[in-house]
Amino acid sequence: MGEIMKAKIDDVAKLAGVSKTTVSRVMNKRGYLSEKTIKKVHDAMDELNYQPNVVARQLFKQETKLVGLIFPTVNNPFFGQLVATMEKKLFSKGFKVLLGDSMNDPEKEKLYLRELMAHQVDGLIVGAHNQGIKEYQNANLPIIAIDRIMNNDIPVVSSDNYQGGKMATELLIKNGAKVIIHTNGPKTLQTPAQKRRQAYEDTMIQYGLKPITYTVDFNVSYEQKAKFLKNIFKDHPDVDGMFISNDVDAAQVIDIAGDLGYKVPDDLKIVGYDGAETTRILLPNLTTIIQPIDRMAEIAVNMLVARISNNDAGENKVLPVKVWRGKTV
Amino acid sequence: MGEIMKAKIDDVAKLAGVSKTTVSRVMNKRGYLSEKTIKKVHDAMDELNYQPNVVARQLFKQETKLVGLIFPTVNNPFFGQLVATMEKKLFSKGFKVLLGDSMNDPEKEKLYLRELMAHQVDGLIVGAHNQGIKEYQNANLPIIAIDRIMNNDIPVVSSDNYQGGKMATELLIKNGAKVIIHTNGPKTLQTPAQKRRQAYEDTMIQYGLKPITYTVDFNVSYEQKAKFLKNIFKDHPDVDGMFISNDVDAAQVIDIAGDLGYKVPDDLKIVGYDGAETTRILLPNLTTIIQPIDRMAEIAVNMLVARISNNDAGENKVLPVKVWRGKTV
DNA sequence: TATTTTGTGTTAACCGGTTGACATTTAATT
DNA sequence: AATTAAATGTCAACCGGTTAACACAAAATA
């Protein structure tokens, strides 16, 4: 019933009949070691079920092999896939993940940043949506941003949002839509996703159509969002095309449009954005712009790891997107 | 250009004109302290942008305020929501999350368990699907399982899978389905989800119908799964009801059934399982059994935190489910 | 005035590994 | 036989906080 004390390096040394230093040498593969000694030590470690206390090592080595991920929430197909892929890749490179879901709350994000730094993470990958957190500036820590502009020191990985916005808009126009509405996140968040808005507006004007953009808050309840989206139809009953800036919203729009009697795609054509795996399985009919989520994740991890090991800055990366031809256009 | 050294407790002490001990006392609110001293110390901390090195504290205190979450993957609406909710709750209780996506690979799960223990996590919440990892036994660590039977020492939080299975099956039967097929995960994984299969088979027999259960591997590609699911229709072209053990698979089945010419729900009625938020937004028409994911997450966290602070064992918890009346039945 | 409470300092041990310096023995090479 | 390389040990400092023990002064209370 008594607490089983975890074995320490001294216990291993004693059982193996060697010194603490030798055990450490075996673990870290340093200096001269005979096969015999290595075996003795490993046997002792097995027998004691020894796990070195990583915390002690972290303190001395001044590195934790931890990476913090700060994202709005993994409860979203896009971020879920992004985080899952990064986690997998980081694990294969020997890093563990400290997860921080900021829920788009700037205070929480700031707190996370501080606390993850206090936990001595070796690096950070950030994809939260908030702006103007000055702590990132003096964070003196390798950071990579995904789909988010932070400051000049921090490399950004994103997909080609302008191209994506253009493709979506042209798809609608070429299929005969005339009254095309676009939804996007708050303009104040100067994320690369805002380029979709720019592309939409440019393309509309280029084709002699009038751009109509609505700003949707990311962080509202399902019901509030439904109310907001319904109002779009009230304002523009003649709408025949919509470019919605993320697939989850697009799904909600399809649902609302159906309730209001629109036939998709006959009366109304809809294009979403993101194209996460799960979305494509759950809603294969949704025409959308696919971001290369896995590639973005891999590149962000590679850049971060490079930044951690050497000091090599790394450039911003913009990846191509493609169209998923569903049945909503 | 020179490396800015992070401030340490000694630097704060020097700047505030107090001793290291006093700074520590301020941080930990121990012993007698005057307002004046507290202010001096805080000012110094602010000026130096001081963040205590959590690793040093962890080593001494023998607690890390870290909790490990081992789940198949956050890239799935059910686990994504579960992890997001737990993370939020844990954060509010002062814990950070170390994320481990095991991808249903027993080796990876074992590795994670070992490494998270080496990282000195204060506790673990496990919802991976693999069985027979003996390391959990001698893990001498507070652990809570979600929807997964591990061993008698480890409390399990789950929803009422038997009730859910019964509700789903009866829903199909009462709406006139006769040839009802059920899919479930491998029988060898002795998870509580297996009770859905039991409930399905019991209910079918009770109504004088023949149960037909297919075992679907969780961990195969989209294409492999499609092939497998198509074969079900080949084996039973007269199928008019399906109880699919998770919503993502159900979505795929709907898609395939549509391609094969079945009209849902007229020719074929389908009930899914899980009812995660995202699924319900993306696919509101899917009739499904809703697990109280957020409650499960909260209860698991509460139980874990209780286990960490005192030694209070905690009972298994089974939560009620409910039906989401979509349009696929 | 005597006593207790409050506020702060100094010192050193401790958490559990890692590492450099140096010594010693054994094995391999010249 | 002499020299060099390989294998291991001992010792102590170090990472950056936390804390117990003890000392002492100032403020509050009896």
Side-chain angles (χ1 to χ4, degrees), chain A residues 4 51 53-55 75 87 91 96-99 101 108 112 114-115 118 120 140 277-278 282-283, chain B residues 4 51 53-55 74-75 87 91 96-99 101 112 114-115 118 120 140 277-278 282-283:
Chain A
I4 303 134
Q51 286 297 327
N53 183 331
V54 174
V55 173
N75 185 25
E87 194 273 348
F91 183 78
K96 300 284 167 304
V97 163
L98 264 173
L99 181 63
D101 278 5
K108 202 172 175 197
Y112 257 121
R114 252 203 272 278
E115 300 200 2
Q120 311 296 118
N140 195 31
E277 272 172 17
T278 306
L282 290 174
L283 204 53
Chain B
I4 303 133
Q51 286 297 327
N53 182 332
V54 174
V55 173
V74 294
N75 184 25
E87 194 273 348
F91 183 78
K96 299 286 166 304
V97 163
L98 263 174
L99 180 64
D101 277 6
Y112 258 121
R114 253 202 271 279
E115 300 200 1
Q120 311 298 115
N140 195 34
E277 271 172 18
T278 305
L282 290 174
L283 204 53

Side-chain angles (χ1 to χ4, degrees), chain B residues 49-50 53 62 69 86 92 130 148 180 198 219 287 314 323:
Chain B
N49 203 1
Y50 173 74
N53 182 332
Q62 300 291 83
L69 301 184
M86 290 190 291
S92 76
N130 298 302
R148 167 165 185 188
I180 302 173
Q198 191 60 53
N219 214 17
T287 300
V323 173

Side-chain angles (χ1 to χ4, degrees), chain A residues 172 180-181 232-233 239 241-244 253 268-271:
Chain A
L172 290 164
I180 302 172
I181 291 174
I232 296 180
F233 290 97
V239 58
M242 294 184 97
F243 168 31
I244 308 296
V253 168
L268 175 62
K269 303 184 197 320
I270 294 179
V271 179

